[in-house]
Amino acid sequence: MARSLGDLVARGTRSTVYAYGRGAVVKVPVPSTPEGWIRYEARYAEAARVCGAAAPRLLGIERIDGRAASVWERVDGVSMWEQVVDQPERGAELGRLLADVQLGLFDLVAPVTLPSQRDRLATKIRRAAATIDAGLERALDLLPPASRSPRICHGDLHPSNVLMSARGPMVIDWFDASRGDAIADVARSSLMLLGNETEPPAHLPGAELATLATLISAYLGRLGERGLALDAAELALWQALNAVARLAEGVPRGPLVEVWASFERARGAYAVAN
């Protein structure tokens, strides 16, 4: 029999997290979240944790109000983003730490139980083309073939999904995890840090744009310092592809459309010049 829900711990776009007895929390999907997503995330997170990822331990799946809900060990600590907002002078430091967390995932052997990153991108691109603009299907032709050993790619790594615990940074929210190209995952993270001209993205509220820019610069710089080669053209391609894919997720379109349009303009200019 399921326990009673405790205090609200966190609220996201896909689920709400409550205290759930001693040392545990339960992630309850919002009505618009397909029930299967909760089970998939549980499977992906536990697979990554077993391989060495700093992720909370899955304790089980229960039924809450007739729907599947995942139960996790409770990780006490504020999110990295809360620290950015409260201590903006640490923006560069925390940007470097975000890079270190991601590189730690790339160092692990990716479990075969994670879905293919390329397949997930292709599915989302097709959905964006079907529901938003048929011309977006051009992105499918630009998907590079797999050329590197697949890595654990979180797919949604940004400061709100890193908890600063006594055990060190812990990564949460594994809905979009996959095995795939590290540069593609960096491109996805850089998009998740992208706001518009006046405010940061909705999932990173409360910080000054200048602080966010400092964090992004330090994040990308740290990746290069640690040996992850970030070819500008390759990164731009993966950012454009991820922008189209993210359009299928029902988020604000403006910045994403501009990323894709800028990439298309650059390609056109190059074709004319050559």
Side-chain angles (χ1 to χ4, degrees):
M1 183 181 216
R3 305 182 187 93
S4 298
L5 300 181
D7 294 338
L8 176 68
V9 174
R11 188 186 302 276
T13 57
R14 295 169 173 167
S15 59
T16 306
V17 180
Y18 298 92
Y20 201 62
R22 185 175 181 180
V25 296
V26 62
K27 178 177 280 190
V28 180
V30 300
S32 60
T33 298
E35 181 169 329
W37 285 18
I38 284 289
R39 297 185 183 277
Y40 288 138
E41 186 208 10
R43 186 186 310 162
Y44 303 158
E46 189 63 6
R49 188 194 66 79
V50 169
C51 289
R57 181 185 297 273
L58 176 70
L59 301 179
I61 301 289
E62 295 199 5
R63 306 292 296 183
I64 303 291
D65 294 332
R67 304 190 73 206
S70 50
V71 183
W72 306 85
E73 67 168 319
R74 180 163 187 162
V75 177
D76 291 319
V78 301
S79 73
M80 180 185 286
W81 186 246
E82 289 177 85
Q83 292 192 344
V84 172
V85 173
D86 293 341
Q87 304 170 64
E89 70 279 3
R90 296 182 61 205
E93 171 197 343
L94 293 169
R96 290 189 290 271
L97 180 58
L98 181 65
D100 289 340
V101 169
Q102 192 168 37
L103 288 167
L105 296 179
F106 295 158
D107 284 341
L108 303 173
V109 176
V112 296
T113 51
L114 290 181
S116 159
Q117 179 192 65
R118 196 179 192 281
D119 288 350
R120 298 197 78 165
L121 283 169
T123 297
K124 289 184 179 183
I125 289 170
R126 290 190 183 97
R127 190 182 310 141
T131 59
I132 298 172
D133 179 354
L136 295 172
E137 194 165 5
R138 292 191 300 274
L140 288 173
D141 297 330
L142 300 177
L143 274 171
S147 60
R148 303 182 180 95
S149 297
R151 303 297 180 187
I152 292 179
C153 296
H154 181 270
D156 197 23
L157 190 68
H158 56 73
S160 285
N161 282 341
V162 179
L163 296 181
M164 308 297 280
S165 77
R167 290 182 283 167
M170 298 285 285
V171 182
I172 59 173
D173 284 358
W174 290 80
F175 284 104
D176 291 300
S178 66
R179 57 198 306 267
D181 191 289
I183 307 303
D185 201 47
V186 169
R188 168 75 179 197
S189 287
S190 68
L191 283 181
M192 299 304 295
L193 298 170
L194 182 66
N196 58 34
E197 295 179 355
T198 60
E199 59 188 14
H203 53 272
L204 299 175
E208 297 291 333
L209 287 176
T211 302
L212 185 57
T214 296
L215 185 146
I216 294 170
S217 177
Y219 161 71
L220 293 174
R222 180 66 165 177
L223 292 170
E225 291 170 5
R226 291 279 309 276
L228 186 65
L230 294 177
D231 177 77
E234 183 182 15
L235 183 62
L237 169 61
W238 280 118
Q239 286 172 330
L241 296 174
N242 273 283
V244 175
R246 184 154 166 73
L247 285 170
E249 298 173 15
V251 298
R253 299 176 183 176
L256 300 172
V257 169
E258 181 54 32
V259 169
W260 173 247
S262 295
F263 178 77
E264 291 262 88
R265 288 193 296 269
R267 286 182 68 224
Y270 179 83
V272 169
N274 292 273

